[in-house]
Amino acid sequence: MRALLTFWLSHRTELMALLGQHVVLVVIATAVAAAIGVPLGVFAARRPRLAAPLMATASVVQTVPSLAMFGFLLPVPFIGGVGARAALVVLILYGVLPIVRTTISGLRAIDPSIREAGVAMGMTPRELLRQVELPMALPSIVAGVRVAAVVGVGSATIAAAIGAGGLGEYIFRGLSMVDTTVILAGAIPAAALALAVDGALLWLERQLSARRRSRSRRATLTAAAALVAVVLLTSGVAARRTGGTIVVGSKNFTEQIVLGELLAQIIERDAGLPVDRRLNLGGTIICDRALLTGDIDVYVEYTGTALTAVFHQPVNTDPTAVFAAVRDLYARTGRTLLPPLGFNNTFAILVRGADARARGLKTIDDVARETPRWRAGFGYEFVERPDGYPGLAKTYGLRFENPPRVMDLTLSYRALAAGQVDLIAGDATAGLIKGLDLFQLEDNRRYFPPYDAAAVARADTLLRYPSVRAAIERLAGRITADDMRAMNYAADAEHRDPREIARQFLDTLPAK
Amino acid sequence: MPEPAIEFREVTFRRPGRSPILDRFSLTVESGEVLVLVGRSGAGKTTILKLVNRLLSPDAGAVLVEGRDTREWEPIRLRRRVGYVLQDVGLFPHMTIADNVAVVPRLEQWPPDRAAARVDELLELVGLPPPQFATRWPDELSGGQRQRVGVARALAVDPPVLLMDEPFGALDPLTRAELHGEFRRIQGRVRKSVIIVSHDMGEAFALADRLGVVESGQLVACDRPAAIAESKDPRVRRLLDAMPAVPRGEEER
């Protein structure tokens, strides 16, 4: 219990951000589900023959476990994939059923003589719906919304699995760390949120069922909307940080943690400011949000990721154009993209170092001559995504002896080294490239989009502390892909402390 | 002589696959007159009313309202010119009494103050003082009070035609007699063309200018109440004999 409280206290800004994300996910999903479910329910209530198959379909959707649903949606374009959008789609799918069901039952419960009275008084079908049927079905509809919202709070925890954030982050982080405290740190607030949402909507339902003048009914709805707005605002405000130190963030994988240490230490050394480390923050969306709300002042982002995942722009393969576009987009939201650090964490087409040396292979064009006698092994994602294998094969005219084998990404490095395959697509900065003596072929036709690493900072922080900017800019162009591989290797394979690795690297930099 | 308010010309209406509910049914309601149709349950009385405001359409023959075939009327316009008091009132439970009465004025997009003034006037007319009743809810009212609201609602935009389906059916005899008196008083002021259907001969005598007897989908008799009372027609006599006593309402006329 004490451990849990300590965890919450030390992670309070993150907790608030995750809670905020969770609430936003559920509110948006429930609102959209209502916007879909109510008209669908109205439609079905008038066509009983359609209602049964519709309800059956919705029930089937409801029985699909949410993790499986996220899995199904991963390869679907536009609505699928990873992130808050796919999570919203799933939450909406779950929310529609209860709302459709209660809309239908609410409408069917209306006494036919009341409907007839409306028609006989000369109401058009639309007037009848708006003035009589929907108001009378409203308490029932709100009951459905309540079920949808509570189901949504639960399902949204699973959404963290696809990087949508929310309180599920703690649950999944705890599961991967086998740390019950962290699991509970997410599960308890999620349960409390479910109870709170249930209670609030139950209250609203009771208010609506009780007789009220239509005017005060509107007031009730307004009050509820205001309450939601206040909750959202306070969660945003609470997430705002108070201290005067520089807060450095990072995403939750090795390279990011090392880069976070590099930023933190160079700020400490050059600017002489105290640094608060918020490393291992979760996915891109969490870091971006934390930067936007001021929870963190700076972290390292990749230009291609910023372009597509943060700003939802189409893919572009020109590194200069991408950098310029992303810098502008950040500038418009009060953030400054600092000069690139030097390496590009893109897909890397890898071969064995021995093969490269023996046959003089430098570029992917060079290897295209050899591949008809070779075997390839790719991760599932690379085979499927549009900027993955299909486009690559087309751009370079690559052909292989057999269709590429699909395998786990991490395993594919070992498979290449062991000679089971001859060519793989890996991450350009993977430590294993160094550890297993692999060689990265140059993407001479610039097929892959750029993922140049660069620090992104809050503009106001840089204005207040110009020395922070100067410190970070000293890293510009200094970290090569080889440097990054070496540091990743030191952390992953040699289990060395990222703090130590960063210090060693900074010691090699020329003095300012 | 002005044209009749409502006219049924040889109207036949049937539910698919059943014997006709109305069979070459003819009827005329003069402007400003109260016609009460009496008959057993299932004689087709409610069907007659629904043919007037085109909730139903005839299979053969024609129903004319103000000289025009109901099939030529735009149904929404027609229904807003024909007030309808339903058998079980059908007040909207989610609206106050005032809002219920103001439904058709709102549909007609009256300015709110005009609608409010009309609601007050009508509630006064039906004997429900607005300060006491306007903001109350239908389920806070007694059956008789709800019936009065139903009448006020039907009269809201001053329609020339009023249809009443067993308007006082579910009430105790005292309240009923009281409402019969109220109805005559109101009709004395508003002079609508009215069709009331009832299964109760006593009620018919209390309210009617003319009285029609409906049986097996046909109008078997239609005349002034005094003439009906003298009728030798066995189908009329059966209904007269079932009547418990001379209703008090008749003396009030």
Side-chain angles (χ1 to χ4, degrees):
Chain A
M1 193 61 215
R2 173 172 286 259
L4 194 57
L5 287 176
T6 317
F7 181 90
W8 276 333
L9 274 176
S10 62
H11 291 73
R12 60 186 177 279
T13 48
E14 187 190 36
L15 176 68
M16 284 302 151
L18 292 175
L19 181 65
Q21 280 180 337
H22 208 99
V23 172
V24 168
L25 264 180
V26 171
V27 168
I28 295 178
T30 310
V32 176
I36 297 171
V38 173
L40 210 57
V42 169
F43 180 82
R46 297 188 168 185
R47 292 166 187 76
R49 241 179 269 169
L50 276 175
L54 190 72
M55 296 299 291
T57 313
S59 303
V60 168
V61 169
Q62 196 85 355
T63 58
V64 178
S66 42
L67 201 53
M69 186 93 97
F70 288 123
F72 287 143
L73 278 176
L74 274 176
V76 179
F78 300 116
I79 57 165
V82 165
R85 191 169 43 179
L88 275 177
V89 171
V90 173
L91 295 184
I92 290 165
L93 283 175
Y94 282 129
V96 165
L97 172 79
I99 296 175
V100 170
R101 203 197 317 256
T102 56
T103 303
I104 293 177
S105 62
L107 289 174
R108 287 204 176 144
I110 297 172
D111 185 343
S113 75
I114 287 174
R115 200 173 274 123
E116 184 170 60
V119 174
M121 273 188 274
M123 286 185 178
T124 61
R126 194 192 172 83
E127 286 164 344
L128 188 68
L129 184 69
R130 294 187 50 164
Q131 298 186 19
V132 178
E133 293 176 316
L134 282 183
M136 289 188 67
L138 193 58
S140 173
I141 293 171
V142 171
V145 170
R146 181 175 141 228
V147 173
V150 173
V151 169
V153 171
S155 306
T157 56
I158 315 285
I162 57 162
L167 293 165
E169 286 275 344
Y170 284 151
I171 299 177
F172 281 98
R173 202 184 293 174
L175 285 171
S176 71
M177 292 159 62
V178 201
D179 185 334
T180 323
T181 307
V182 182
I183 298 176
L184 288 176
I188 292 173
L193 183 63
L195 288 173
V197 165
D198 192 46
L201 285 169
L202 183 64
W203 173 82
L204 182 64
E205 194 183 321
R206 294 236 172 98
Q207 290 297 304
L208 291 172
S209 316
R211 289 174 314 236
R212 287 286 186 283
R213 276 198 79 96
S214 34
R215 220 165 292 142
S216 76
R217 230 180 237 199
R218 216 164 289 141
T220 307
L221 286 172
T222 316
L227 196 69
V228 169
V230 166
V231 168
L232 292 181
L233 276 176
T234 47
S235 67
V237 171
R240 201 160 286 276
R241 172 180 51 91
T242 44
T245 55
I246 303 295
V247 185
V248 174
S250 89
K251 305 185 199 179
N252 55 357
F253 52 93
T254 309
E255 177 173 310
Q256 277 279 321
I257 293 166
V258 173
L259 288 170
E261 269 302 331
L262 281 170
L263 289 184
Q265 290 186 23
I266 205 159
I267 291 168
E268 286 169 342
R269 283 184 187 198
D270 287 13
L273 289 165
V275 172
D276 188 355
R277 288 167 174 75
R278 294 288 162 84
L279 308 182
N280 214 357
L281 267 187
T284 303
I285 310 296
I286 291 192
C287 285
D288 180 64
R289 195 195 137 88
L291 188 65
L292 205 54
T293 57
D295 275 6
I296 61 175
D297 293 303
V298 59
Y299 79 102
V300 175
E301 190 49 278
Y302 306 95
T303 52
T305 310
L307 188 71
T308 54
V310 177
F311 297 113
H312 309 293
Q313 302 291 312
V315 176
N316 185 331
T317 58
D318 178 355
T320 324
V322 171
F323 184 83
V326 171
R327 192 184 47 205
D328 283 356
L329 289 164
Y330 272 128
R332 271 182 236 161
T333 48
R335 278 96 49 99
T336 304
L337 186 66
L338 293 161
L341 299 177
F343 68 91
N344 176 4
N345 186 3
T346 183
F347 286 109
I349 298 302
L350 301 171
V351 297
R352 281 180 293 276
D355 286 343
R357 286 186 294 273
R359 296 163 199 264
L361 304 174
K362 298 273 182 230
T363 65
I364 305 179
D365 264 337
D366 293 342
V367 88
R369 295 183 315 242
E370 314 279 348
T371 53
R373 282 166 287 115
W374 282 13
R375 294 153 300 165
F378 296 132
Y380 173 77
E381 187 192 359
F382 188 74
V383 173
E384 292 295 324
R385 48 189 284 168
D387 59 347
Y389 176 63
L392 179 75
K394 210 155 124 198
T395 306
Y396 286 98
L398 283 185
R399 282 180 297 115
F400 291 96
E401 193 179 24
N402 299 310
R405 282 175 60 187
V406 179
M407 54 177 64
D408 182 79
L409 180 64
T410 327
L411 280 179
S412 70
Y413 295 99
R414 310 259 170 212
L416 177 61
Q420 289 159 357
V421 294
D422 306 305
L423 181 146
I424 65 166
D427 288 327
T429 56
L432 288 172
I433 296 177
K434 176 187 153 71
L436 297 172
D437 183 28
L438 307 178
F439 181 79
Q440 178 184 2
L441 297 167
E442 190 200 336
D443 178 20
N444 56 311
R445 297 194 182 186
R446 281 200 183 167
Y447 167 68
F448 292 116
Y451 291 89
D452 291 314
V456 54
R458 286 182 64 82
D460 56 359
T461 307
L462 295 184
L463 279 176
R464 211 174 316 146
Y465 306 106
S467 57
V468 169
R469 179 184 208 129
I472 298 170
E473 284 185 347
R474 212 153 71 83
L475 285 171
R478 290 288 173 187
I479 309 174
T480 65
D482 270 333
D483 292 335
M484 198 65 243
R485 284 173 198 164
M487 288 191 277
N488 283 339
Y489 185 76
D492 276 341
E494 296 169 355
H495 302 291
R496 288 177 50 205
D497 181 0
R499 213 171 269 242
E500 187 57 34
I501 297 167
R503 178 155 52 235
Q504 267 188 2
F505 180 82
L506 290 181
D507 285 343
T508 67
L509 284 184
K512 26 175 188 173
Chain B
M1 176 145 175
E3 67 184 354
I6 301 164
E7 192 178 353
F8 280 66
R9 287 185 187 157
E10 301 266 307
V11 170
T12 299
F13 179 86
R14 54 160 61 85
R15 296 287 180 200
R18 305 227 197 120
S19 59
I21 297 172
L22 295 182
D23 187 8
R24 277 167 291 132
F25 179 91
S26 291
L27 173 76
T28 308
V29 181
E30 302 302 338
S31 186
E33 114 176 301
V34 178
L35 176 78
V36 181
L37 294 175
V38 187
R40 300 162 185 252
S41 302
K45 304 184 302 272
T46 300
T47 304
I48 294 167
L49 297 186
K50 288 183 177 177
L51 283 163
V52 175
N53 62 9
R54 218 186 125 176
L55 291 177
L56 301 172
S57 290
D59 293 311
V63 180
L64 283 72
V65 175
E66 296 178 331
R68 242 171 104 193
D69 193 316
T70 53
R71 283 165 297 195
E72 288 166 20
W73 279 89
E74 206 276 297
I76 303 296
R77 281 255 48 80
L78 173 66
R79 287 171 196 153
R80 290 184 194 173
R81 278 189 75 76
V82 177
Y84 189 27
V85 182
L86 282 86
Q87 189 161 5
D88 35 18
V89 194
L91 292 186
F92 300 127
H94 62 294
M95 295 183 189
T96 59
I97 299 311
D99 284 343
N100 262 289
V101 176
V103 164
V104 185
R106 268 205 311 273
L107 294 176
E108 294 278 283
Q109 293 173 347
W110 286 19
D113 48 345
R114 182 178 167 208
R118 179 66 178 157
V119 167
D120 284 354
E121 185 188 349
L122 285 164
L123 288 179
E124 286 291 355
L125 181 73
V126 299
L128 301 173
Q132 202 182 330
F133 287 96
T135 58
R136 292 174 75 177
W137 299 87
D139 62 1
E140 294 171 335
L141 267 53
S142 71
Q145 290 168 330
R146 279 205 290 271
Q147 289 289 357
R148 290 166 192 250
V149 177
V151 171
R153 185 173 67 172
L155 291 173
V157 293
D158 203 15
V161 175
L162 191 59
L163 310 174
M164 305 178 88
D165 191 353
E166 308 264 6
F168 312 117
L171 304 178
D172 64 274
L174 268 174
T175 312
R176 213 164 161 184
E178 187 184 306
L179 281 182
H180 289 163
E182 286 283 306
F183 175 80
R184 296 301 319 176
R185 179 178 64 76
I186 294 168
Q187 170 64 3
R189 287 178 54 188
V190 298
R191 280 285 152 208
K192 303 293 177 194
S193 314
V194 187
I195 304 182
I196 299 173
V197 303
S198 173
H199 57 263
D200 179 347
M201 204 53 142
E203 180 160 275
F205 278 107
L207 300 177
D209 294 325
R210 274 196 308 147
L211 201 164
V213 175
V214 183
E215 195 172 304
S216 314
Q218 285 180 322
L219 192 62
V220 298
C222 188
D223 211 333
R224 294 183 40 254
I228 294 286
E230 316 270 282
S231 173
K232 299 280 183 287
D233 187 319
R235 295 171 296 189
V236 178
R237 289 251 51 103
R238 270 205 300 276
L239 282 165
L240 286 172
D241 294 343
M243 196 167 52
V246 175
R248 298 187 305 147
E250 199 181 6
E251 281 102 284
E252 288 173 17
R253 288 181 58 209

